[in-house]
Amino acid sequence: MPAPTSLDTQVLHAVRRHTQAENPSSFLTLNSGNEVFTSPAAEGVIVYRRTGRFLVQFGGPFADKGSYEELLRRFVAYAHQQDLLVVGVQLQHEDAAVYAGSGFTVNQIGASWAVRLPDFTLRGTRFMQLRNKISRALRSGLRVTEVEAGEWREQLSGIDNAWLATKNSDARALEFLVGQIGGPAQEHRRLFLGTIEDRPVGYISYAPVFGSRAGWMHDLSRRIPGGSPGLMEAINAHAIETLRAEEVEWLHFGFTPFTGLDESLELPGHSPSFRWLMHFLWEHGEQLYPAKSQLAYKEKWAPQLRIPEYVAFDGCASLSAFAHIFRACNAF
């Protein structure tokens, strides 16, 4: 496993310390393949990927309030010096307000969801169908354990390959806005593996969440095709009981584009046409991203918290910039 570099350590320090934007996906800044912008004039980091003429920024600057706007200003200047534009994705509301005040066009792009674990229970009629699916998976012989990813690298890769083979021929494993297995940050993640007769059949990786709603984020998940329904639900239910025993406060389910859209959450100066596009993609964009099925899985767990997330365009809202977000994610 690669050793953490000083830059990895700097990014981890920044997302742990600078939590004013409360981004539940902030640990994704540690993904391999990301680039990091810093400035000697401002404390903190900005994490991004370059695709075409765009610097696709993840979240806002992870910086203290005294450096936040200065770091953003310097990052935009850095992009413009190269004749590039910035597009920021998964901004939190506090980020979005700063970006809108800095000349960006800001729109809601989706939402993330979270469950407060101390109050969570699967009892009651609301969860009857979920309990039945979990029971069916357990009756099939499913066993769930927390494991070290490095000890199961080959088997996890086999699950990934089998899962990807069920997609269309152009499908790729997503990056950037989803987590990964391995890399220098793996020691900070947790991995729950499902096996049947000692054969791995699915897994869920959980990433740490910092800030006032600290806990874990249900992140990367994969399963082999076929098999018993309820495999992933049973793995997550086991993880929930483990986290509850540890008195963890929150389980986050991460960001899903095109979901939780609410006109009242838009900021002044947003693009009405881009808002229309988000609603259109919610209704008809399953080939671009399976938002409805992703949300359906999250809603099974009755999340109490909806966190709006935003996209910020350097200037006017741009379809090209929006497409490059998906390009940065390896979607095409």
Side-chain angles (χ1 to χ4, degrees), residues 170 172 174 288 320 322-332:
D170 297 325
R172 307 179 184 189
L174 296 180
L288 179 62
S320 176
F322 177 65
H324 277 76
I325 293 172
F326 284 87
R327 186 175 172 189
C329 295
N330 198 39
F332 49 82

Side-chain angles (χ1 to χ4, degrees), residues 209-220:
V209 176
F210 311 108
S212 65
R213 295 188 291 264
W216 292 88
M217 182 178 72
H218 179 309
D219 187 20
L220 194 65

Side-chain angles (χ1 to χ4, degrees), residues 10-217:
Q10 184 178 0
V11 174
L12 181 58
H13 173 75
V15 299
R16 277 177 166 166
R17 178 179 177 184
H18 304 306
T19 57
Q20 74 275 12
E22 297 289 343
N23 192 325
S25 299
S26 62
F27 195 79
L28 300 184
T29 56
L30 275 293
N31 280 356
S32 302
N34 291 344
E35 297 186 66
V36 180
F37 177 84
T38 62
S39 170
E43 182 183 350
V45 301
I46 286 177
V47 175
Y48 68 98
R49 292 192 179 190
R50 177 174 176 175
T51 64
R53 291 186 52 249
F54 295 91
L55 300 185
V56 182
Q57 178 193 357
F58 174 81
F62 294 92
D64 62 41
K65 292 187 177 181
S67 296
Y68 186 103
E69 292 189 48
E70 179 63 17
L71 189 60
L72 175 59
R73 188 187 68 78
R74 288 178 177 268
F75 179 61
V76 172
Y78 168 76
H80 291 178
Q81 287 166 7
Q82 303 173 75
D83 197 28
L84 303 174
L85 294 172
V86 173
V87 55
V89 66
Q90 279 199 250
L91 302 178
Q92 304 303 290
H93 190 273
E94 186 175 339
D95 299 307
V98 175
Y99 278 65
S102 300
F104 283 75
T105 301
V106 179
N107 275 71
Q108 190 189 1
I109 193 174
S112 61
W113 311 81
V115 169
R116 189 173 181 275
L117 292 183
D119 305 325
F120 183 80
T121 176
L122 284 177
R123 294 192 297 269
T125 56
R126 179 175 191 174
F127 294 107
M128 183 172 61
Q129 187 175 8
L130 179 57
R131 291 197 307 271
N132 289 340
K133 292 188 72 173
I134 292 170
S135 296
R136 185 172 177 183
L138 296 176
R139 288 197 302 271
S140 73
L142 179 71
R143 179 171 177 263
V144 183
T145 52
E146 185 171 5
V147 302
E148 294 293 333
E151 299 174 5
W152 294 83
R153 186 176 294 111
E154 185 176 340
Q155 295 93 328
L156 296 174
S157 179
I159 293 174
D160 291 343
N161 293 335
W163 171 83
L164 194 59
T166 65
K167 311 300 178 183
N168 64 58
S169 58
D170 297 325
R172 307 179 184 189
L174 296 180
E175 302 175 0
F176 192 46
L177 301 187
V178 297
Q180 62 182 61
I181 301 293
Q186 183 58 41
E187 64 177 304
H188 302 288
R189 303 184 186 97
R190 301 178 72 167
L191 184 69
F192 287 81
L193 179 69
T195 59
I196 296 178
E197 297 179 349
D198 296 324
R199 182 173 66 97
V201 294
Y203 68 83
I204 302 176
S205 174
Y206 296 82
V209 176
F210 311 108
S212 65
R213 295 188 291 264
W216 292 88
M217 182 178 72

